[in-house]
Amino acid sequence: MARAGILDNKRLLIIDKARKTVNDRTWCFWEKTKGPFEEIVFKSWNRAWVRNEKSERCLDLAPYAYKMIRGIDFYSLCNKILSEYSSIDRLYVPVRDISFDNSGIIVSAGEHQYTADYVFNSIARDEKQGHLNPELLQHFKGWFLETTEDIFNPEEATLMDFRVPQQNGTAFVYTMPFSSRKALIEYTIISPELLRSEAYDDALTKYVHDLGIINYNVAESEFGIIPMTKKKFPLREKNMMYIGTAGGQTKASSGYTFQFIQKQSATIVQSLLQTGQPFSKLSKGLARRFRWYDNVLLHILKNNNPAGKEVFDILFAKNKPSQVLQFLDNETNLFQELKIMRSVPQIPFLKAGFKEFFNY
Ligand SMILES: Cc1cc2nc3c(=O)[nH]c(=O)nc-3n(C[C@H](O)[C@H](O)[C@H](O)COP(=O)(O)OP(=O)(O)OC[C@H]3O[C@@H](n4cnc5c(N)ncnc54)[C@H](O)[C@@H]3O)c2cc1C
């Protein structure tokens, strides 16, 4: 908004309970060209592995590059950009309540109340009210590993290595190497419940050991939970718009969110520029069939039939990697989607497809 000139004659208050001064997450995503955050891309890869006990394949991701941004670099860049605009104020307090009256939207934060014409809200809705209630959770722990020997090929990432026990849900390890001796190694599991906190470290220790890495140091770690839900997220309540995960921008079947947030942000800006209000371009929304595909995959992952590891293996074995990535971006056409559908085991997917048909 700031860069598009929308705030030249408006004021914006950003309220966050956290100052975001630590590297609390890492974002990975794929894109074909240079994106708006290219200057802070920490590392990118053109090739990535998918592995299981029976097979392994190195995917050529072209025309996409798989990119990684460190949370702290993202926060620093955004803070730097925002500080250049006198029309933007920042406040670091928790938001307690949001209500509506004739004068606009009233946000109670800290000791004060603020009134606004529009509010963009990224606070996740209360799970107890049944708004979120995810079918599955994607939960993961990542280690920033430093080794004393050359172990990694920094040109090749590992998207999914399924050579880890699958009894608690679809589980895999994800490796993003920065150099021959440094990598982010993340143990990820998709299941309804979280594990005991030691279980993530145990799985990582075993995986690293199985790779033959004996001498290593864990420089940093990250833990995350991404809800995977079939619930429809209301985008709007009067003049308040939900954004980010709270606004349904997490892809239900994959957990990827970063690029969907960028697309939502671009749509909001386009709408503001063209109509003066943020909602018009969002009315079209996402093609409903993508919601159905997500629900079907979620159904399969939840019921573990076929097992998640088989599904992802088949998807990448029988389709061009770029087509799978395009599909996961909700950017394929019907013809491409039919080809992808033909590649997966027909009977369980047809059953899941039928069960989820009235659910999207
Ligand atoms: C560790 C981790 C790694 C991830 N990695 C990836 C990835 O590689 N690729 C990908 O696509 N997605 C990833 N995700 C998912 C998703 O991209 C992130 O969760 C992303 O940060 C979601 O953005 P958001 O703006 O919706 O929420 P957040 O980034 O969580 O922002 C919400 C903000 O609201 C503030 N807030 C919350 N409640 C209040 C309150 N009551 N008052 C004031 N402020 C409040 C918080 O402090 C926070 O700054 C990851 C998630 C996590 C947790």
Side-chain angles (χ1 to χ4, degrees), residues 15-20 91-95 123:
I15 308 177
D16 201 312
K17 63 180 179 182
R19 280 183 183 264
K20 294 288 190 180
L91 188 63
Y92 299 100
V93 291
V95 169
I123 304 175

Side-chain angles (χ1 to χ4, degrees), residues 229-235 247-253 284-299 327 330 337 356-360:
T229 177
K230 287 196 280 191
K231 293 284 173 313
K232 289 179 196 155
F233 287 75
L235 268 180
Q249 300 306 307
T250 295
K251 186 164 171 73
S253 59
K284 263 175 70 191
L286 181 69
R288 287 181 74 197
R289 63 182 195 281
F290 287 106
R291 186 186 289 282
W292 180 55
Y293 303 149
D294 280 334
N295 291 355
V296 172
L297 192 49
L298 215 51
H299 185 106
F327 178 64
N330 298 346
E337 289 147 29
E356 296 298 334
F357 194 71
F358 299 103
N359 238 341
Y360 63 99

Side-chain angles (χ1 to χ4, degrees), residues 54-300:
K54 291 187 204 141
S55 66
E56 55 176 18
R57 51 182 57 85
C58 189
L59 312 173
D60 176 2
L61 304 178
Y64 291 96
Y66 196 77
K67 301 184 181 180
M68 178 182 147
I69 288 181
R70 299 185 326 147
I72 192 66
D73 297 335
F74 182 85
Y75 305 137
S76 305
L77 177 70
C78 291
N79 284 336
K80 183 171 154 283
I81 296 170
L82 298 176
S83 67
E84 289 162 10
Y85 293 84
S86 56
S87 50
I88 301 176
D89 292 305
R90 314 288 298 269
L91 188 63
Y92 299 100
V93 291
V95 169
R96 287 182 287 106
D97 184 49
I98 301 177
S99 58
F100 303 87
D101 79 0
N102 293 338
S103 57
I105 309 176
I106 303 157
V107 178
S108 306
E111 303 296 305
H112 300 282
Q113 289 194 328
Y114 304 87
T115 306
D117 295 334
Y118 296 112
V119 167
F120 300 93
N121 186 353
S122 62
I123 304 175
R125 292 167 148 241
D126 189 356
E127 288 193 29
K128 288 192 199 95
Q129 290 170 10
H131 288 299
L132 205 52
N133 194 20
E135 272 71 26
L136 287 170
L137 299 169
Q138 184 178 128
H139 38 124
F140 45 91
K141 176 138 191 194
W143 282 356
F144 288 86
L145 203 75
E146 295 173 350
T147 61
T148 50
E149 284 161 46
D150 293 346
I151 303 278
F152 308 108
N153 176 353
E155 301 312 315
E156 293 173 355
T158 297
L159 281 186
M160 294 173 153
D161 186 345
F162 289 102
R163 294 174 301 176
V164 286
Q166 304 285 316
Q167 75 269 16
N168 292 322
T170 298
F172 57 88
V173 174
Y174 173 82
T175 301
M176 300 292 124
F178 314 130
S179 71
S180 57
R181 295 185 180 198
K182 285 188 185 173
L184 167 64
I185 299 197
E186 204 147 81
Y187 171 69
T188 302
I189 176 154
I190 298 172
S191 66
E193 305 284 339
L194 299 183
L195 305 179
R196 289 174 298 111
S197 62
E198 318 82 71
Y200 303 92
D201 288 321
D202 292 348
L204 281 165
T205 308
K206 178 162 187 333
Y207 183 80
V208 167
H209 190 261
D210 288 351
L211 288 186
I213 306 174
I214 309 294
N215 297 317
Y216 64 88
N217 168 44
V218 179
E220 266 181 76
S221 65
E222 70 168 23
F223 178 74
I225 305 169
I226 303 178
M228 301 172 85
T229 177
K230 287 196 280 191
K231 293 284 173 313
K232 289 179 196 155
F233 287 75
L235 268 180
R236 175 178 184 177
E237 211 173 317
K238 300 191 177 162
N239 272 353
M240 176 167 76
M241 179 184 287
Y242 287 101
I243 54 172
T245 297
Q249 300 306 307
T250 295
K251 186 164 171 73
S253 59
S254 71
Y256 279 99
T257 314
F258 187 82
Q259 284 296 69
F260 290 101
I261 292 181
Q262 306 318 323
K263 284 189 216 169
Q264 186 192 32
S265 306
T267 310
I268 291 171
V269 168
Q270 235 187 329
S271 174
L272 280 164
L273 284 173
Q274 287 169 4
T275 66
Q277 48 90 4
F279 303 108
S280 60
K281 293 271 165 189
L282 291 166
S283 56
K284 263 175 70 191
L286 181 69
R288 287 181 74 197
R289 63 182 195 281
F290 287 106
R291 186 186 289 282
W292 180 55
Y293 303 149
D294 280 334
N295 291 355
V296 172
L297 192 49
L298 215 51
H299 185 106
I300 295 276

Side-chain angles (χ1 to χ4, degrees), residues 18-37:
R19 280 183 183 264
K20 294 288 190 180
T21 50
V22 289
N23 191 31
D24 63 354
R25 65 197 60 190
T26 320
W27 283 292
C28 286
F29 56 95
W30 52 90
E31 63 188 353
K32 287 183 192 164
T33 52
K34 290 189 174 168
F37 302 107

